[in-house]
């Protein structure tokens, strides 16, 4: 039926979600590489085959099971979606089939509230003009309804007769673009009955949308399955891996190279030994394979590869996965990160990024819905210069007005203005009535009747708040039809004929609506940003000055303001205006936009100012505290918002992103600073010797950058500027980006990633944040009011912004510490165990004789040592959650990667070298000239290994849960028990070749010399760890423990409820200056808004000393000597 | 919304899920760690002293009989072409050598821990397992690992096969006390010098009687003067795979320089030790070591609870213990400076 001459055959395949599985291909192939059968060849079999196979099989089994579980889950959810039902036209009637059986060209029927199964061309619907409404929450996160309309030809032809018959006869051909990812564009045409009809986005129902308010719609499938626009636009998700992950992989590759190199050297040694020594010893020379030392050395190379195999920490990878999963579960389980109100817990959707949560250096946050609740409240208004309502009283304390006279009142109006109600009800003041008529008419809200209540579906929450406020005060917007609007004004129904809608765009920053009122008068109602509306007023508008004053005071209390104006339009103007408008509809796109712009401008002039509204977008609970805490933890916070600069700056002040005395740097000034050769120093000359330049460093710390979208685009484009911008931002307190598009948000992330080494975290709640969330190292979605897109694409989802502090400072910090120490320790213990073989090689003719019993090697990593260190990685808490939150400075080592960097790895390796030398050479000294044999030496060294590892574990673990203690004892005991078991006679009799250590431990464990040697070697090998441990305790002093034990009240400066007080004390100049400077936030002239004295709520802090890491072989311990002291004054209060 | 609905997603509020498991966080301070360190140091010094003193009290007599020096009586035997060479080394004790005295032989520069050497044996063959009785091939087809000491030139299996067995140490020692210029033999006891597990489990003779029959159609190891069933002509029970000297040899040494127990002096009047006087050690010099620069020695030693003389361990204990004590003093100084910087 449909022929698409561009596109190839489309196959039908529904994909459940578009997130590809996290591929870990390299690791697995890496394991495969290790799987060498050569280990079983006798000539080079330095170990029995199972010695290396047991850990390998374990790894592969666990990994396989995990992948199987994921695949099954995916398959299940895939088939769930595949088997959804849909009605398809089959010859003459509709029948129900599963989604997976739908094909391109099918005509499908969609009922109300059904999801659209594929990208459809809307043919007709049950509504007038074949309109149909869809909800696009899953695509763009907006919950309002959008309407789509069928072509008039299909509407006319297909609805005239019974639908089945006419639809079955429909034989149109659609020519359109190949499947693509452009969600908001569709080009094509329908050829039917010899005529071509142009198709555009309005005619297409996209997969992922849901049909609303429409009984039935019929559509023709154009793109199916993976070709649908939504799946196309999901794109390929980059596999995210963490710094630790990458460094670890490098390290493992390094170890692998080391193994090969060492084996080579040992093989050379073996060749030399064969040539120089063993050829004189008949007992040995006869054993030289083929009598050729070179060939023998070649075989020895492979033998050493096998013997040194345990160096490669294979089990680390499963442990790593298990730890990640558990840490993620801890996040999911945390009741303190669950939002009671919505019963919405935190979710770790990506289980491999946990430790990176402890390393975040840049936090990029959306504003609306992330910092704020995106729950807008109509708080104040100014009508005819008079202000109603008082926003300085918080919402909770605002008295409810008695609105019982209004059956439509929702009871949620948080404004106290009885005098306004009086005025309205008495209809004493026409300008007040006109104001609310404007609110009730000028919008694009869609009303919905459900269960008798009136619900408003709006594309922007602002509109919903305004229309809702008008409704509560008696101006009820009741219904919208194609060309008329019904308003119940204090119970009186009035119908307005809708003549034109002059839509809102971000350039115009206003919208207007042209209506004919029931009396026949033509009126234009306009609402928009204050700047735009105020410049379009008719001359001599009354109350202008008082309204401006009101606007300023609204802005200072952080309210979003809009101006409302009206114009009585003369009939003649409308006639000629509408004529031009009709003409414009047929023009080419570019030309038309310009004409429309002028046309709209002409209509929206000569306005009469009615007043201004003030809407409060309340900050989410705990946002200022969280931001203050995160800033103290050293995070650079960037707020990226589509909002206007003024609002963003105000929110910045209220959310503690900006301090009251923070200087804003933006616009031209910023540009100059960036253009100058070195932004760090030449800034002093760029401005006329500002005071802040005197002490650049401290001044910078008190500066925030304000960047607008267009400027940002400029900086990103310009080569070199990006790096400077990031450099400058690193010195500044915070950055605000206003008026940015979703694409720009991602650009900012890319910019930061490119020019700094720090980990970026993006947090947002809406579809416009998806790009940013996907681009950042870590994406966090706020499961909030807007649709699920952000959460779908995020690595972590939270219900509220404030949970971020727990996610980062507690879970992130713990994960980072646990995982880094775990990795370092794990590698340390496998290496110092395996390196002994090399030292032994020097005394056995480099013959690849293993130092250990086969069973010990097989058990060492899997049984004796892995569980305790794994438990460490599960449970370790160096400080409690409360202390972490109380001392955000403890977070700082993470972003600087203090615990896991080449230096700490080198220190660890040095310690490993030392302990492996000790582990070998102390027993060596004891066994010199002694009658104790090789097997006894093997048991002694094994025992020393166990002593050393367990001693180091004792030192490493600071948080002893019962599990830690019990499993350490079990693992320790296991060594002795398992040794006895594998070395007992019965097993030897079964397989002499596998259990040839029979009786060794029985004899060795009875020999005090073996115990004393193992004890000495073990303790001496652990001595560096012990030294570092003790020095840490000494240098950190008793203060560190204050962090553990403090249980007093939280420091006042973090928890104070300063919001309201702040608003009064904030230097009043800032906000107004910002809002009055056009487009840019920078003060137009004059000095910085310097605050003469420190804010009372921000007492001078003692400078936080750089956290000094001291090097420790088993890892690096952070000494935190001053944190406790710093806290003391605060606690003393 | 009812309350139940509102808690559907609530995670379990347990100590485990909330990471609030009861835990002990040791509160460490200088007052604990420095004394702790001192205690470790002192304990190590204590062990070190005990080991050192014990070691010092052990009497050891080492006699190198390789015969490198021309004035050595064994010099004549150095040349491998001399067969059945005997040499005598005289020594005298001016005080009692307290018993029980153990006699060891020692080799140096001898790589018994060489991997291919260690693998060169047939564990199954050496167990003489009863279940293998029906299948006589256990002796006839030695394991591949024994190569090249698996079969001789006539394709007859070597029993016991392999390089370890083949290279068995075969010097013999006899000790005489010279009393009034006549030699009084000091009885050397060769019983029980091998591990119980080796004697009873790891090595078993084939249960054929007489033992010789089990070795039909086999040849002795090339290096051996006598077949396995005639290793000890004096004691028929000490033959085959459970010959004590054979067992001791088969237990590979840890390092290239090693000693192995040869005999104990536990019988008769010498059980209390070797009295002061002159002794003659008669050595049956068979084992070649000179070609690879090796040394042979005989060691007489008495033992303590910690085995033979071992000064190394005691010294290292002393060193590490002292190091701990020194470090704890350094720590104390560092701590004092750090803690009270103003008083400096």
């Amino acid at each position: 039926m449909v022929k698409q001459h561009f596109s190839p055959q489309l196959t039908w395949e529904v994909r459940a979600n578009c997130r590809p599985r996290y591929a870990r291909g390299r690791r697995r192939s890496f394991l495969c590489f290790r799987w060498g059968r050569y280990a079983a060849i006798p000539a080079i079999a330095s170990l029995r085959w199972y010695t290396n196979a047991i850990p390998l099989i374990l790894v592969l089994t666990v990994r396989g099971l995990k992948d199987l579980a994921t695949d099954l889950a995916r398959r299940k959810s895939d088939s769930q979606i595949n088997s959804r039902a849909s009605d398809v036209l089959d010859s003459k009637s509709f029948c129900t089939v599963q989604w997976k059986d739908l094909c391109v060209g099918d005509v499908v029927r969609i009922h109300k509230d059904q999801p659209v199964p594929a990208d459809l061309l809307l043919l007709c619907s049950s509504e007038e003009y074949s309109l149909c409404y869809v909800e696009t929450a899953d695509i763009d996160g907006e919950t309002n309804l959008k309407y789509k309309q069928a072509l008039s030809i299909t509407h006319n032809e297909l609805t005239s007769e019974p639908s089945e018959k006419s639809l079955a006869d429909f034989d149109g051909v659609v020519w359109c673009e190949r499947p693509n990812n452009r969600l908001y564009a569709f080009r094509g045409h329908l050829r039917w009955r010899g005529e071509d009809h142009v198709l555009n986005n309005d005619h297409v129902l996209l997969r992922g949308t849901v049909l609303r308010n429409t009984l039935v719609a019929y559509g023709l499938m154009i793109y199916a399955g993976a070709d649908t626009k939504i799946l196309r636009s999901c794109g390929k998700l980059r596999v995210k891996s963490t710094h630790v992950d990458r460094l670890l992989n490098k390290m493992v590759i390094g170890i692998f190279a080391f193994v090969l190199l060492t084996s080579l050297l040992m093989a050379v040694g073996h060749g030399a030994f064969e040539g120089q020594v063993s050829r004189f010893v008949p007992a040995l020379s006869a054993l030289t394979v083929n009598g050729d030392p070179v060939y023998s050395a070649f075989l020895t190379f492979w033998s050493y590869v096998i013997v040194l195999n345990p160096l490669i920490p294979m089990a680390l990878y499963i442990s790593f996965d298990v730890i990640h999963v558990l840490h993620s579960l801890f996040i999911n389980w945390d009741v303190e990160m669950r939002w009671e109100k919505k019963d919405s817990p935190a979710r770790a959707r990506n289980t491999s990024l946990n430790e990176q949560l402890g390393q975040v250096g840049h936090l990029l946050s959306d504003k609306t819905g992330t910092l704020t609740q995106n729950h807008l409240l109509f708080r104040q208004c100014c009508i005819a210069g008079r202000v109603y309502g008082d926003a300085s009283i918080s919402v909770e304390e605002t008295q409810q007005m008695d609105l019982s006279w209004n059956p439509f009142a929702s009871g949620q109006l948080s404004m106290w203005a009885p005098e306004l109600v009086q005025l309205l009800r008495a209809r004493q003041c026409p300008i007040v009535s006109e104001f609310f008529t404007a609110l009730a008419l000028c919008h694009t809200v869609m009303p919905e009747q459900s269960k008798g209540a009136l619900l408003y579906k709006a594309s922007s929450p602002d509109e919903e708040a305004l229309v809702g406020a008008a409704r509560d005060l008696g101006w009820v917007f009741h219904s919208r039809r194609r060309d008329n609007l019904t308003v119940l004004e204090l119970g009186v129904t009035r119908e307005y004929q809708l003549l034109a809608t002059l839509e809102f765009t971000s350039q115009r920053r206003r919208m207007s609506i042209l209506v004919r009122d029931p009396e026949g008068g033509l009126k234009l109602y306009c609402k928009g940003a204050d700047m735009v509306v105020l410049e379009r007023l008719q001359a001599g508008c009354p109350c202008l000055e008082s309204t401006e004053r009101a606007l300023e005071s609204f802005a200072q209390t952080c309210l979003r303001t809009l101006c409302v104006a009206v114009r009585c339009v003369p009939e003649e103007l409308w006639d000629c205006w509408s004529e031009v408008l009709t003409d414009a509809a047929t023009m080419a796109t570019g030309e038309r936009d310009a004409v429309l712009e002028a046309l709209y401008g002409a209509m929206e002039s000569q306005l009469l100012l009615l007043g201004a509204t003030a809407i409060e977008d309340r900050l989410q609970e705990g946002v200022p505290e969280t931001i203050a805490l995160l800033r103290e933890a050293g995070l650079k916070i960037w707020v990226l918002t589509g909002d206007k600069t003024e609002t963003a700056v105000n929110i910045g002040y209220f959310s503690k992103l900006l301090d009251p005395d923070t200087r804003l740097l933006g616009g031209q000034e910023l540009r100059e600073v960036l253009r100058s050769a070195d932004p760090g120093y030449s800034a002093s000359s760029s401005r006329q010797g500002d005071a802040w330049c005197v002490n650049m460093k401290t001044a910078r710390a008190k500066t925030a950058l304000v960047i607008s979208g267009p400027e940002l685009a400029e900086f990103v484009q310009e080569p070199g500027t990006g790096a400077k911008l990031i450099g400058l931002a690193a010195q500044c307190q915070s950055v605000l980006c206003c008026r940015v598009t979703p694409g720009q948000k991602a650009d900012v992330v890319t910019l930061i990633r490119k020019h700094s080494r720090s980990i970026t975290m993006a947090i947002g709640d809406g579809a416009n944040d998806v790009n940013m969330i996907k681009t950042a190292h870590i994406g966090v979605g706020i499961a909030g009011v807007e649709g699920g897109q952000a959460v779908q694409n995020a690595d972590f989802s939270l219900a509220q912004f404030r949970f971020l502090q727990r996610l980062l400072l507690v879970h992130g910090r713990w994960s980072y510490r646990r995982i880094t120490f775990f990795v370092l320790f794990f590698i340390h213990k496998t290496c110092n165990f395996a390196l002994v073989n090399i030292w032994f090689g020097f005394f056995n003719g480099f013959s690849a004789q293993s130092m250990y019993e086969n069973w010990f090697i097989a058990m060492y990593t899997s049984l004796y040592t892995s569980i305790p260190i794994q438990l460490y990685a599960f449970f370790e808490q160096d400080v409690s959650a409360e202390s972490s939150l109380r001392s955000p400075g403890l977070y700082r080592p993470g972003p600087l990667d203090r615990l896991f960097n080449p230096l700490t790895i080198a220190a660890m390796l040095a310690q490993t070298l030392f302990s492996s030398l000790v582990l070998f050479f102390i027993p060596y000294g004891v066994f010199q000239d002694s009658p104790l044999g090789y097997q006894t030496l093997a048991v002694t060294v094994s025992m020393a290994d166990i002593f050393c590892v367990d001693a180091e574990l004792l030192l490493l673990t600071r948080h002893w849960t019962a599990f830690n203690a019990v499993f350490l004892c079990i693992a320790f005991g296991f060594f002795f028990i398992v040794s006895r078991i594998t070395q007992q006679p019965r097993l030897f009799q079964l397989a002499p070749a596998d259990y040839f250590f029979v009786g060794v431990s029985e004899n060795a464990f009875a020999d005090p010399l073996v115990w004393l040697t193992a004890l000495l070697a073990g303790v001496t090998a652990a001595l560096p760890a012990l030294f570092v441990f003790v020095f840490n305790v000494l240098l950190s002093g008793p203060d560190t423990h204050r962090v553990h034990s403090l249980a007093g009240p939280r420091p006042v400066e973090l928890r104070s409820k300063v919001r309201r007080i702040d608003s009064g004390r904030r230097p009043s100049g800032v906000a107004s200056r910002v809002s009055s400077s056009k487009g840019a936030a920078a003060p137009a002239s004059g000095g910085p808004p310097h605050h003469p004295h420190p804010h009372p709520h921000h007492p001078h802090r003692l400078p936080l000393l750089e956290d000094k890491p001291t090097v420790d072989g088993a890892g690096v311990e952070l000494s935190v000597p001053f944190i406790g002291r710093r806290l003391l004054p605060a606690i003393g209060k | 919304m009812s309350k139940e609905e509102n808690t559907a997603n609530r995670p379990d509020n347990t100590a485990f899920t909330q990471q609030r498991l009861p835990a002990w966080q040791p509160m460490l301070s200088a007052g604990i760690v420095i004394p702790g360190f001192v205690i470790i140091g002192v304990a190590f010094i204590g062990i070190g002293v005990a080991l050192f003193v014990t070691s010092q009290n052990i009497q050891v007599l080492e006699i190198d009989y390789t015969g490198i020096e021309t004035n050595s009586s064994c010099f004549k035997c150095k040349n491998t072409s001399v067969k059945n060479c005997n040499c005598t080394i005289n020594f005298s004790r001016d005080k009692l050598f307290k018993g029980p005295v153990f006699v060891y032989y020692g080799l140096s520069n001898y790589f018994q821990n060489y991997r291919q050497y260690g693998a060169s044996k047939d564990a199954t063959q050496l167990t003489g397992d009863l279940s293998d009785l029906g299948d006589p091939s256990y002796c006839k087809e030695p394991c591949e690992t024994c190569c090249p000491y698996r079969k001789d030139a006539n394709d007859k299996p070597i029993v016991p096969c392999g390089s370890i067995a083949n290279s068995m140490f075969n010097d013999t020692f006899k000790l005489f006390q010279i009393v009034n210029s006549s030699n009084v033999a000091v009885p050397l006891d060769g019983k029980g010098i091998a591990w119980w597990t080796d004697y009873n489990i790891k090595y078993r003779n084939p249960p054929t009687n007489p033992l010789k029959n089990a070795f039909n159609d086999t040849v002795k190891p090339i290096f051996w003067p006598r077949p396995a069933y005639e290793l000890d002509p004096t004691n028929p029970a000490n033959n085959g795979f459970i010959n004590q000297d054979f067992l001791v040899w088969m237990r590979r040494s840890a390092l290239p320089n090693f000693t192995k127990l040869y005999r104990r002096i536990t019988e008769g009047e010498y059980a209390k030790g070797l009295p002061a006087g002159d002794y003659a050690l008669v050595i049956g010099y068979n084992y070649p070591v000179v070609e690879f620069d090796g040394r042979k020695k005989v060691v007489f030693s008495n033992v303590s609870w910690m085995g033979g003389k071992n000064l190394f361990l005691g010294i290292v204990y002393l060193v590490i213990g002292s190091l701990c004590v020194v470090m704890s003093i350094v720590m104390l100084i560092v701590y004092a400076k750090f803690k009270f910087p103003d008083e400096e």
Side-chain angles (χ1 to χ4, degrees), chain B residues 161-333:
Chain B
C161 74
S163 189
I164 317 181
N166 185 56
S167 61
M168 184 179 160
F169 185 78
N170 57 357
D171 282 2
T172 56
F173 308 99
K174 288 190 178 106
L175 184 63
F176 299 96
Q177 189 181 11
I178 304 170
V179 184
N180 304 328
S181 61
S182 67
N183 287 354
V184 179
V186 177
L188 299 180
D189 174 15
K191 286 194 286 292
I193 56 172
W195 283 4
W196 185 90
T197 42
D198 285 353
Y199 186 75
N200 291 293
I201 290 147
K202 206 167 171 181
Y203 299 89
R204 303 298 300 143
N205 271 333
T208 321
N209 205 9
L211 184 61
K212 187 176 182 300
N213 293 352
F215 291 83
N216 290 340
D217 285 331
T218 67
V219 294
K220 65 179 175 59
I222 296 154
F223 186 72
W224 288 18
R226 292 185 297 274
Y229 50 88
E230 287 171 3
L231 274 177
D232 187 356
T234 59
N235 180 6
N238 191 23
N239 274 320
F241 302 147
I242 55 167
N243 175 274
Q244 295 276 344
D245 290 327
F246 178 66
L247 297 185
V248 169
W249 180 254
M250 292 301 283
R251 184 147 289 283
R252 295 159 62 207
S253 75
L255 298 166
N257 300 340
F258 60 91
T259 56
K260 283 180 186 290
L261 186 57
Y262 182 69
R263 294 289 183 267
R264 282 182 289 204
I265 303 172
T266 54
E267 288 169 21
E269 53 192 300
Y270 295 100
K272 288 190 187 126
L274 299 176
D278 294 330
Y279 292 89
L281 179 67
V282 179
I283 299 156
Y285 194 114
N286 302 311
Y287 205 72
V289 294
V290 178
E291 53 196 4
F292 58 89
D293 220 11
R295 288 283 189 283
K296 300 195 284 191
K297 65 184 175 186
V298 170
V299 180
F300 294 92
S301 168
N302 47 23
V303 296
S304 67
W305 55 270
M306 53 165 283
K309 188 168 184 122
N310 203 327
L311 284 176
F312 176 81
L313 190 60
I315 291 169
V316 177
Y317 262 105
L318 286 172
V319 168
I320 300 293
S322 317
L323 185 68
C324 287
V325 173
V326 169
M327 282 311 289
S328 58
I329 294 167
V330 171
M331 282 165 188
L332 200 63
I333 295 167

Side-chain angles (χ1 to χ4, degrees), chain A residues 39 166 334 350 423 445 504 546 562 594 803 828 879 930 944 984 991 1121:
Chain A
S166 57
D334 196 334
N350 184 344
L423 276 177
V445 168
F504 179 88
S546 51
L562 285 174
F803 297 137
H828 166 67
V879 295
S930 105
Q984 58 132 320

Side-chain angles (χ1 to χ4, degrees), chain A residues 285-527:
Chain A
S285 59
L287 296 167
T288 306
V289 185
N290 301 347
D292 180 2
V294 177
Y295 182 62
S296 179
F298 170 74
L299 293 181
T300 304
F301 169 77
W302 294 109
S303 301
Y304 264 112
V305 170
I306 299 172
V307 166
L308 295 178
N309 218 348
L311 268 173
I312 299 164
M314 198 166 33
L316 180 63
Y317 283 115
I318 27 173
S319 303
F320 212 54
D321 278 358
V322 172
I323 291 164
H324 272 132
V325 168
L326 189 73
H327 284 188
S328 303
L329 286 175
F330 279 142
I331 291 173
N332 296 352
W333 286 334
D334 196 334
V335 285
E336 289 185 44
M337 294 212 295
R338 169 178 167 268
W339 194 23
E340 297 277 343
K341 211 163 131 195
K342 287 273 171 76
D343 186 29
S344 144
R347 283 274 171 265
R349 300 172 49 85
N350 184 344
T351 57
S352 58
L353 297 178
N354 300 69
E355 75 270 15
Q356 211 151 43
L357 287 175
Q359 295 182 275
V360 177
H362 280 92
L363 175 69
L364 297 107
S365 172
D366 174 38
K367 187 185 74 69
T368 312
T370 307
L371 298 180
T372 64
Q373 296 178 342
N374 206 10
H375 176 65
L376 301 181
L377 299 173
F378 187 83
R379 293 305 310 279
Q380 272 182 311
C381 60
C382 166
I383 306 170
R386 186 173 164 195
V387 176
Y388 300 94
D390 182 3
S392 62
I393 301 167
S394 75
V395 174
E396 289 77 20
E397 289 157 22
T398 304
Q399 275 179 281
Q400 285 284 330
M401 287 192 288
D402 177 24
L403 298 173
S404 52
W405 48 269
N406 179 2
F408 291 98
S410 63
Q412 283 168 359
L413 188 67
S414 35
M415 181 164 121
W416 172 251
E419 68 278 19
L420 179 64
V421 177
Q422 227 162 31
L423 276 177
L424 279 170
R425 295 192 68 187
R427 290 179 179 269
Q428 282 166 347
C429 180
I431 196 161
V432 173
S433 311
E434 199 69 357
F435 180 82
F436 282 97
T437 311
L439 292 190
L441 289 175
C442 182
H443 53 73
T444 55
V445 168
M446 195 67 77
E448 202 178 51
Q449 302 275 358
S450 98
K451 295 177 196 159
L454 196 57
L455 290 180
Y456 291 131
K457 296 267 184 180
S459 58
S460 93
D462 297 69
E463 289 200 328
E464 194 181 337
L466 291 175
V467 180
R471 174 190 59 191
D472 286 338
L473 292 170
W475 258 253
V476 183
F477 171 59
H478 188 261
S479 65
R480 172 192 291 274
R481 275 186 300 281
R482 208 166 123 96
D483 52 5
N484 80 43
L485 304 166
T486 312
V487 177
L488 295 169
E489 293 180 12
L490 296 172
V492 183
T493 307
R494 285 167 68 84
E495 296 224 342
Y496 290 85
Q497 192 193 349
L498 177 60
L499 299 176
T501 307
L502 288 59
E503 313 94 7
F504 179 88
T505 65
S506 52
Q507 280 84 44
R508 281 163 40 79
R509 298 167 71 193
R510 62 186 186 269
M511 81 162 286
S512 306
I513 196 159
L514 189 62
V515 293
R516 188 182 293 281
D517 65 22
E519 285 77 34
L522 276 175
K523 277 199 177 137
L524 176 87
Y525 292 103
C526 175
K527 74 167 192 230

